[in-house]
Amino acid sequence: MMREKLGLLVWVWFLLCGSSFGRFVVEKNSLKMTSPTSLRGVYECAIGNFGVPQYGGTLVGTVVYPQANQKACKSFDDVGISFKSKPGGLPTFLLADRGDCYFTLKAWNAQNGGAAAILVADDRTEPLITMDTPEEEHADADYLQKITVPSALVSKSLGDSIKKALSSGEMVNINLDWTEALPHPDERVEYEFWTNSNDECGPKCESQIEFVKNFKGAAQILEQKGYTQFTPHYITWYCPEAFILSRQCKSQCINHGRYCAPDPEQDFTKGYDGKDVVLQNLRQACFFKVANESGKPWLWWDYVTDFAIRCPMKEKKYNEECANKVVQSLGVDVKKVQKCVGDPEADEDNPILKAEQDTQIGKGSRGDVTILPTLVINNRQYRGKLDKGAVLKAICAGFQETTEPAICLTDGIETNECLENNGGCWQDKKANITACRDTFRGRVCECPIVQGVKFTGDGYTHCEASGPLRCEINNGGCWKKSQNGRTYSACVDDSTKGCKCPPGFKGDGVNSCEDVDECKEKVACQCAECKCKNTWGSYECSCNSGLLYMQEHDTCIGSESSVRYNWGFIWFVILCLAAAGVGGYAVYKYRIRRYMDSEIRAIMAQYMPLDNQGEVPNHVVRGDI
């Protein structure tokens, strides 16, 4: 009996060391009242530690305080009340009173009733507190992990003011704002995950292991590309000096009572002991240290996941031997990890666990870490459901706006605003294309890129396909029709944008293109003998009395006359060519003859005088004086 009391005393001391002596910080978000005028202003509310707070975003709604079930401890279906908003109406925020049931049950009933968020009015005048999930014995309720609506606790005075305004017939509109719930100073997010290797602590341990498995991929992408700096942490307590030699402390602590953890089964007589948990926590912390030094800190997620699968307590594999096999399989040096773990029996501080205890104490805006598991993002404790989408949304809210990595724009953390009325954005229902895109900060109306084709426009009322491949997507949004085995389109592949009806049609090219009646409008077949027949997209011309139609001249001619005319023309051309040949030959002969005559005369002149030349004297008489 004394041993049981001593064990209980030690257990209570652990709890006191972990909670009463800590400085717990209530994480808050902003609540802006926009109407009525008498309540207009900004108020504080405490974020619940369940559901999905809209980190980085805002939510606007109108408040309802029901006539019945005002504490929301029963299903609203039982009292015939629904909070589902009508199309075009604002979302509904349920105001419920504190008391009579768990906060989580109130939120679950509000969610099932169609409320977009729940505000719980405190029933006493006190500083705001954090609404948490039930204690361990009640934490196995199925609905706990299904709560998705954001929740907030408001002060008693604010709750009373809202109720008074509603009773007077005033409409109360509220803007819940989480944009500053987490600091977002730069393009890198620092976050910590305070966890535990224990897998026998009930639903909370199971949900924690499930979260690690689901979040591993996203966490590793963020870490490998340098978007985040992640650090795992582990909570330990010290054993009171008066109980160091007790069986309870020896079974739950290492290093002579310096680092302790509660018994996994909360039974000191069976199963694994608290010191086994401390050693595995230390081994995980050392694995991270060694992996981080090798430049691969993201391997921690693989180690923790694999260890939970390969070395569970239920199969009696929660030991060093199994842990070392996991370390080896990931290519990390086992000896370095063992050296970091050190001697758990030594009466001295362990550097890793000593640093963990120091880090557990809150600094600045972050309070002491007293709840497991806990996420700390940019030095603020995360509040809400431990879920991949919710946590990723919170981490993404920690990036400076416009610097978020691509993973922050994936479907996993979308706000689903596009599901209702397409978010008010442009949409082509026929081609199933929309400009609405959900992000963790809310929807944006942005013309999309589909199969390499970029749409341009304002995203709200108009988006138009552009580029050379635009006709492949819904025919570029242009008119297209098939009839009588022919297909005509107003989209031209070599045009970057716009629609134009093809020849033979008229219209805007988008909604319609009408056939042009060339015969009626007298734009074809205008000769006296011509006959015109209109066809879809074209026309046909023919001639009377066996005449032939010449399209290039838009005229009709007889077939025989055309043949005679053609042969006469050919003979005329032949005669002209023959005459030109004879004339050319005569000129050629004449010029040759002239040339030869001139050459002969030149030669003869050199050897004999011609008749018309004077006689040249042979002697000259000179007179000398």
Side-chain angles (χ1 to χ4, degrees):
M1 189 69 179
M2 283 296 294
R3 286 184 177 179
E4 291 180 1
K5 289 183 177 179
L6 182 60
L8 180 62
L9 180 61
V10 174
W11 175 253
V12 171
W13 179 264
F14 288 153
L15 295 178
L16 289 174
C17 290
S19 59
S20 298
F21 299 159
R23 183 178 65 88
F24 186 82
V25 172
V26 177
E27 299 297 343
K28 304 172 184 177
N29 67 297
S30 173
L31 184 154
K32 184 177 181 181
M33 197 89 68
T34 56
S35 69
T37 306
S38 58
L39 294 179
R40 189 175 297 170
V42 179
Y43 303 84
E44 282 188 338
C45 55
I47 304 174
N49 204 25
F50 48 85
V52 183
Q54 301 298 316
Y55 282 106
T58 61
L59 186 62
V60 178
T62 181
V63 180
V64 171
Y65 183 61
Q67 294 291 330
N69 196 22
Q70 293 177 338
K71 291 186 177 180
C73 291
K74 299 178 182 179
S75 171
F76 284 96
D77 288 339
D78 296 342
V79 293
I81 298 177
S82 175
F83 304 110
K84 293 181 180 178
S85 57
K86 297 179 181 180
L90 287 174
T92 301
F93 296 167
L94 170 65
L95 177 66
D97 293 327
R98 180 182 177 182
D100 291 357
C101 63
Y102 292 114
F103 292 120
T104 51
L105 183 58
K106 297 177 189 289
W108 178 242
N109 288 332
Q111 179 174 308
N112 288 335
I118 180 172
L119 305 176
V120 178
D122 206 342
D123 58 356
R124 66 202 74 173
T125 303
E126 63 177 357
L128 292 174
I129 64 170
T130 296
M131 298 184 293
D132 201 3
T133 53
E135 298 298 329
E136 294 298 331
E137 60 268 20
H138 300 284
D140 57 350
D142 293 336
Y143 70 85
L144 292 178
Q145 293 303 314
K146 298 177 183 178
I147 300 174
T148 58
V149 293
S151 60
L153 181 76
V154 299
S155 65
K156 184 177 185 301
S157 60
L158 180 57
D160 291 341
S161 299
I162 294 174
K163 295 173 191 176
K164 184 178 179 181
L166 290 172
S167 65
S168 301
E170 299 274 9
M171 176 181 280
V172 178
N173 288 341
I174 285 179
N175 183 352
L176 290 174
D177 188 346
W178 292 270
T179 54
E180 298 302 325
L182 286 175
H184 43 99
D186 51 39
E187 54 190 35
R188 192 179 76 164
V189 171
E190 293 82 26
Y191 73 105
E192 308 166 7
F193 183 39
W194 290 82
T195 183
N196 200 330
S197 62
N198 180 8
D199 60 11
E200 284 287 347
C201 61
K204 279 196 173 181
C205 280
E206 293 172 4
S207 65
Q208 179 179 247
I209 293 171
E210 192 66 22
F211 164 73
V212 171
K213 291 178 182 177
N214 293 336
F215 193 68
K216 180 181 75 168
Q220 290 180 326
I221 290 173
L222 289 169
E223 198 73 11
Q224 289 173 5
K225 296 188 177 181
Y227 295 121
T228 61
Q229 181 179 340
F230 162 75
T231 309
H233 287 297
Y234 301 86
I235 292 179
T236 59
W237 296 279
Y238 66 87
C239 183
E241 188 173 352
F243 302 105
I244 288 178
L245 300 179
S246 68
R247 177 174 173 269
Q248 286 75 18
C249 273
K250 287 183 177 180
S251 68
Q252 296 182 89
C253 309
I254 65 173
N255 293 88
H256 286 248
R258 287 177 173 82
Y259 314 108
C260 312
D263 188 279
E265 304 87 3
Q266 299 181 19
D267 188 336
F268 301 117
T269 62
K270 66 178 183 179
Y272 287 96
D273 296 325
K275 67 179 181 181
D276 297 317
V277 176
V278 177
L279 278 171
Q280 290 301 334
N281 289 348
L282 175 58
R283 189 168 286 109
Q284 290 187 4
C286 284
F287 180 91
F288 175 79
K289 179 178 182 294
V290 174
N292 190 39
E293 289 173 351
S294 67
K296 297 180 178 180
W298 51 84
L299 288 177
W300 178 90
W301 294 91
D302 289 314
Y303 175 77
V304 173
T305 302
D306 293 354
F307 181 82
I309 296 172
R310 298 172 60 180
C311 311
M313 288 182 173
K314 293 177 181 179
E315 297 180 13
K316 307 300 181 184
K317 296 179 180 179
Y318 187 86
N319 52 49
E320 181 181 3
E321 180 184 358
C322 186
N324 287 341
K325 290 180 180 179
V326 178
V327 174
Q328 288 177 334
S329 68
L330 296 173
V332 176
D333 194 329
V334 175
K335 291 183 179 180
K336 288 185 178 181
V337 174
Q338 291 175 334
K339 182 179 179 181
C340 172
V341 171
D343 182 7
E345 301 298 328
D347 186 7
E348 60 183 13
D349 287 335
N350 180 286
I352 299 295
L353 293 180
K354 180 67 169 62
E356 292 294 284
Q357 287 185 343
D358 293 341
T359 306
Q360 184 181 340
I361 301 172
K363 296 178 181 179
S365 60
R366 197 209 78 186
D368 294 351
V369 178
T370 59
I371 300 174
L372 282 179
T374 290
L375 273 162
V376 179
I377 303 173
N378 283 353
N379 212 36
R380 293 277 183 86
Q381 290 192 25
Y382 165 83
R383 295 286 180 258
K385 180 181 178 182
L386 195 64
D387 170 81
K388 175 188 174 182
V391 170
L392 185 56
K393 181 180 292 186
I395 289 176
C396 289
F399 290 100
Q400 189 176 29
E401 290 191 30
T402 72
T403 67
E404 305 93 350
I407 196 171
C408 290
L409 305 176
T410 56
D411 295 342
I413 57 172
E414 62 187 10
T415 55
N416 293 323
E417 292 179 70
C418 296
L419 297 179
E420 185 174 347
N421 195 33
N422 197 47
C425 304
W426 171 87
Q427 183 181 27
D428 186 339
K429 292 183 178 180
K430 185 178 179 180
N432 194 27
I433 300 173
T434 175
C436 190
R437 182 167 54 87
D438 283 305
T439 73
F440 74 96
R441 284 195 169 103
R443 72 100 175 92
V444 294
C445 294
E446 191 175 82
C447 293
I449 298 176
V450 182
Q451 298 178 18
V453 178
K454 181 174 177 58
F455 285 73
T456 58
D458 61 10
Y460 294 92
T461 60
H462 175 70
C463 283
E464 182 181 359
S466 63
L469 299 177
R470 66 193 187 93
C471 296
E472 300 295 325
I473 307 296
N474 192 31
N475 200 49
C478 302
W479 173 88
K480 183 179 181 181
K481 190 174 180 180
S482 297
Q483 185 174 311
N484 300 328
R486 292 183 177 182
T487 300
Y488 289 97
S489 169
C491 185
V492 183
D493 281 321
D494 59 1
S495 178
T496 57
K497 61 180 181 178
C499 303
K500 184 179 180 181
C501 289
F505 293 89
K506 61 181 178 180
D508 60 10
V510 178
N511 300 312
S512 67
C513 285
E514 297 179 359
D515 175 54
V516 174
D517 190 338
E518 291 86 355
C519 302
K520 185 177 180 180
E521 296 187 6
K522 297 182 179 180
V523 294
C525 305
Q526 295 301 299
C527 64
E529 300 87 357
C530 293
K531 290 193 302 183
C532 184
K533 179 184 177 183
N534 186 59
T535 61
W536 186 65
S538 186
Y539 60 91
E540 293 178 358
C541 284
S542 60
C543 297
N544 296 318
S545 304
L547 298 178
L548 296 177
Y549 178 72
M550 297 185 67
Q551 185 175 1
E552 60 272 18
H553 300 291
D554 191 26
T555 187
C556 291
I557 61 174
S559 57
E560 295 182 1
S561 62
S562 64
V563 171
R564 288 196 300 269
Y565 172 78
N566 289 339
W567 275 110
F569 178 76
I570 292 172
W571 279 113
F572 174 75
V573 171
I574 293 174
L575 291 174
C576 289
L577 292 175
V582 172
Y585 180 75
V587 171
Y588 170 75
K589 293 291 289 182
Y590 174 75
R591 292 189 66 182
I592 288 294
R593 188 177 185 85
R594 287 282 306 271
Y595 177 75
M596 290 180 66
D597 287 346
S598 63
E599 287 293 318
I600 292 171
R601 288 172 66 87
I603 293 171
M604 292 179 66
Q606 293 179 9
Y607 296 96
M608 62 177 42
L610 299 180
D611 293 340
N612 58 353
Q613 290 180 338
E615 187 174 331
V616 179
N618 293 325
H619 304 280
V620 177
V621 180
R622 298 179 61 184
D624 297 328
I625 297 178

